[in-house]
């Protein structure tokens, strides 16, 4: 009896070490990814307003296209981690190769669609007549890098499943640096303009994909895993990814509805909304890093038939999620006098922003738990439940958000609707986690 508190402390310390070891590098890699667009924007912005506007449209289309396939990382992480937990590294790497082959196939399809339809996509996105040619040029060239981008997603999932988040961090830093150098050289040195920026991004993405493939291929040869495409394995990877695709599309729909509602509220509110959405995305990186650790850790425990360890890890990560959310919420409140002037000097935008910003701060502890439980269920391979839960969330959020302009609630009311969305996600994920139905042990679910 006297050893129980010591045992619990020892267990917590073990889980803390695992979470920190995986989450900290994962956070660095997550932050490095959006820096690609920031660097491109900074360099292309000096070419002219039309070029920068064209880049903005093309980058938004590319980001949407790639983010839809984020399941390549999530599903692969869970599947590989299970096999690692079961002690079957050859099968783990083989599973990862199936995900990579699927990424290549999907990438080829997207390129075949994106290049000929680029002018139509740019027009549908509302690009001006002066920006459209630049957007089309950037989109057509950068689309060539989509297969590499999807390979990066799948290979990142392989390494996360292997409990390695450091290599993705190093690759992301290398890709970011290469992209910056190539953009300067090709845009200004070679005089290619916005096309040079697109080619620089493509080359950097291909380089990142090759770096990942070298690591994965070395691991496959070391453990005697086959590198050849396997139709059954690729099909299984696709089937595992479909529910997560539904979840991702539902979440994207929530964000699109929120932006559309903010636009109907007026220029001041949409400007303030974009600032809050940027902050929301930034805090999401920190919370998602814990979720990524959860995917890898939970998958490994379940693969090792350690249901107790999975429950303990889940409980500890929820505590991390709550604590991280509280810290982020406090930071948002305390730092608001510092960062608000950085985003805008318009007092009307700041006035609209402040109360909605406080709502964002209050919602952070909820978001912390949501992200963690999302990662836990992904690590357990519980994609079907995640898909249905997100569809329910969308069904609750959409009518509430769309009624905001009718009742004159303004931006603050819209962000209370966003908080409701997170609360619904919390309830659905908490019910599933408490039920224990997500705990399915073994090398495969």
């Amino acid at each position: 009896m006297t050893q129980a508190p010591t045992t619990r402390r020892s267990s917590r310390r073990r889980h803390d070490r695992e979470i920190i070891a995986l989450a900290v590098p994962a956070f660095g890699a997550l932050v490095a990814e959006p820096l690609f667009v920031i660097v491109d924007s900074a360099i292309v912005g000096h070419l002219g307003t039309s070029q920068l506007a064209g880049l903005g449209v093309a980058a938004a289309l590319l980001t949407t296209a790639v983010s839809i396939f984020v399941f390549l990382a999530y599903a692969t992480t869970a599947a590989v981690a299970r096999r690692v937990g079961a002690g079957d590294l050859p099968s783990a790497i083989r599973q990862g190769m199936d995900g990579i082959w699927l990424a290549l196939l999907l990438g080829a399809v997207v390129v075949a669609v994106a290049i000929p339809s680029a002018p139509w996509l740019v027009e549908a996105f509302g690009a001006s007549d002066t920006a459209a040619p630049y957007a089309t040029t950037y989109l057509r060239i950068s689309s060539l890098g989509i297969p590499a981008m999807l390979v990066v997603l799948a290979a990142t999932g392989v390494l996360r499943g292997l409990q390695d988040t450091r290599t993705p961090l190093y690759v992301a830093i290398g890709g970011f640096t290469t992209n910056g150098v190539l953009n300067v050289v090709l845009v200004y040195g070679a005089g290619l303009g916005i096309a040079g920026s697109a080619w620089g991004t493509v080359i950097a993405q291909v380089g990142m994909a090759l770096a990942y493939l070298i690591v994965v291929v070395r691991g496959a040869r070391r453990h005697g895993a086959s590198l050849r495409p396997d139709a059954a394995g690729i099909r299984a990877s696709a089937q595992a990814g479909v529910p997560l695709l539904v979840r991702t599309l539902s979440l994207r729909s929530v964000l699109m509805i929120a932006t559309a509602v903010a636009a109907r509220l007026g220029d001041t509110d949409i400007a303030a909304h974009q600032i809050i959405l940027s902050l929301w995305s930034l805090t999401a990186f920190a919370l998602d890093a814990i979720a990524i650790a959860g995917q890898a850790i939970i998958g490994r425990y379940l693969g090792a038939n350690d249901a107790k360890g999975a429950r303990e890890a889940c409980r500890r990560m929820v505590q991390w999620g709550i604590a991280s959310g509280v810290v982020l919420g406090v930071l948002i409140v305390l730092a608001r006098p510092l960062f608000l002037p950085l985003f805008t000097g318009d007092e009307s935008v700041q006035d609209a922003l402040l109360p909605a910003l406080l709502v964002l701060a209050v919602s952070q502890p909820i978001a912390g738990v949501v992200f963690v439980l999302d990662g836990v269920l992904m690590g357990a391979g519980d994609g079907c439940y995640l898909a249905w839960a997100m569809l329910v969330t969308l069904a609750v959020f959409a009518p509430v958000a769309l009624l905001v302009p009718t009742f004159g609630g303004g931006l603050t009311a819209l962000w209370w609707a966003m908080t409701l969305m997170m609360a619904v996600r919390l309830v659905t994920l908490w019910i599933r986690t408490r039920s224990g139905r997500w705990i399915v042990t073994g090398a495969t679910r």
Side-chain angles (χ1 to χ4, degrees):
M1 293 293 291
T2 56
Q3 291 183 343
T6 302
T7 302
R8 285 196 296 270
R9 284 196 297 270
S10 177
S11 176
R12 284 198 298 268
R13 284 196 295 268
R14 184 179 75 254
H15 290 309
D16 288 346
R17 286 194 296 269
E18 288 183 332
I19 293 168
I20 293 171
L22 292 171
V24 172
F27 174 70
L30 288 170
V31 170
E33 290 173 10
L35 291 178
F36 272 81
V37 177
I38 293 175
V39 168
D40 288 3
S41 299
I43 294 172
V44 171
H46 291 285
L47 295 174
T49 302
S50 297
Q51 289 91 332
L52 183 58
L55 172 65
V57 170
L61 287 166
L62 277 170
T63 301
T64 299
V66 174
S67 65
I68 288 172
F69 298 106
V70 72
F71 69 83
L72 289 166
Y74 294 158
T76 303
T77 297
V80 171
R82 275 185 175 271
R83 286 162 175 78
V84 169
D88 190 353
L89 285 177
S91 292
I93 297 174
R94 173 67 263 177
Q95 180 70 36
M97 285 304 306
D98 291 336
I100 290 173
W101 281 112
L102 176 62
L104 285 170
L105 291 173
L106 291 173
V109 172
V110 175
V111 170
V113 172
I115 291 179
S117 63
W120 178 84
L121 290 170
V122 167
E123 182 181 355
F125 209 79
S128 67
D129 291 339
T130 55
Y134 297 111
T136 301
T137 297
Y138 189 93
L139 183 59
R140 278 181 165 160
I141 295 172
S142 56
S143 292
L144 297 173
I146 287 178
M149 295 179 195
L150 299 189
V151 166
V152 167
L153 284 177
T156 299
V158 176
L159 295 181
R160 288 173 181 171
L162 294 171
Q163 317 296 296
D164 176 9
T165 56
R166 289 183 179 273
T167 300
L169 172 60
Y170 300 147
V171 173
I173 292 173
F176 165 71
T177 304
T178 302
N179 179 62
V181 172
L182 287 174
N183 265 260
V184 172
V185 171
L186 296 177
V187 171
Y188 297 113
L192 296 180
I194 195 170
S197 177
W199 280 116
T201 300
V202 169
I203 294 170
Q205 292 287 353
V206 170
M208 291 172 66
L210 290 175
Y212 275 118
L213 289 174
I214 289 171
V215 174
V216 174
V217 168
R218 284 178 176 174
R221 289 176 175 172
R222 189 182 309 119
H223 296 287
S226 174
L227 297 173
R228 295 178 180 178
D230 176 66
I234 294 172
R235 188 164 52 250
S237 294
Q239 289 172 346
V242 169
L244 295 179
L245 175 61
V246 173
R247 168 201 167 275
T248 300
L249 290 173
S250 300
L251 182 56
R252 296 292 301 184
S253 297
V254 165
L255 299 178
M256 289 174 65
I257 290 171
T259 300
V261 170
R264 290 172 60 189
L265 296 175
D267 290 347
T268 298
D269 283 334
I270 185 61
H273 174 74
Q274 287 302 115
I275 294 172
I276 298 178
L277 198 59
S278 298
L279 291 171
W280 186 81
S281 299
L282 181 62
T283 59
F285 285 134
L287 300 175
D288 202 28
I290 304 173
I292 287 169
Q295 293 172 30
I297 293 169
I298 294 297
R300 192 188 74 234
Y301 275 120
L302 294 179
N305 295 308
D306 188 355
K308 180 183 177 182
R311 287 192 186 92
E312 290 178 350
C314 174
R315 190 179 305 114
R316 189 57 177 163
M317 280 184 285
V318 167
Q319 294 170 353
W320 270 79
I322 294 171
S324 300
V326 170
V327 170
L328 288 172
V330 171
L331 285 176
I332 289 172
V333 173
L334 294 180
R336 70 186 188 282
L338 299 176
F339 63 73
L340 285 184
L342 296 177
F343 285 104
T344 179
D346 189 326
E347 291 186 3
S348 63
V349 174
Q350 291 187 12
D351 290 341
L353 186 61
L354 187 56
L357 194 65
L358 296 177
V359 175
L360 175 66
V362 169
S363 70
Q364 286 305 296
I366 298 174
V369 180
V370 167
F371 274 77
V372 165
L373 295 183
D374 211 36
V376 166
L377 296 185
M378 282 184 190
D382 204 5
C384 289
Y385 183 84
L386 288 172
W388 282 110
M390 199 62 226
L391 286 171
V392 169
T393 301
L394 175 60
V396 173
F397 169 78
V400 174
L402 292 172
L403 285 173
V404 166
T406 302
F407 290 98
L411 187 65
T412 303
L414 175 59
W415 274 91
W416 276 120
M418 289 287 286
T419 302
L420 171 65
M421 179 270 294
M422 295 302 291
V424 173
R425 291 186 70 190
L426 174 62
V427 171
T428 56
L429 296 175
W430 186 263
I431 289 172
R432 185 64 167 183
T433 307
R434 292 289 294 176
S435 73
R437 293 179 182 177
W438 58 278
I439 301 177
V440 180
T441 58
T444 59
R445 184 176 173 84

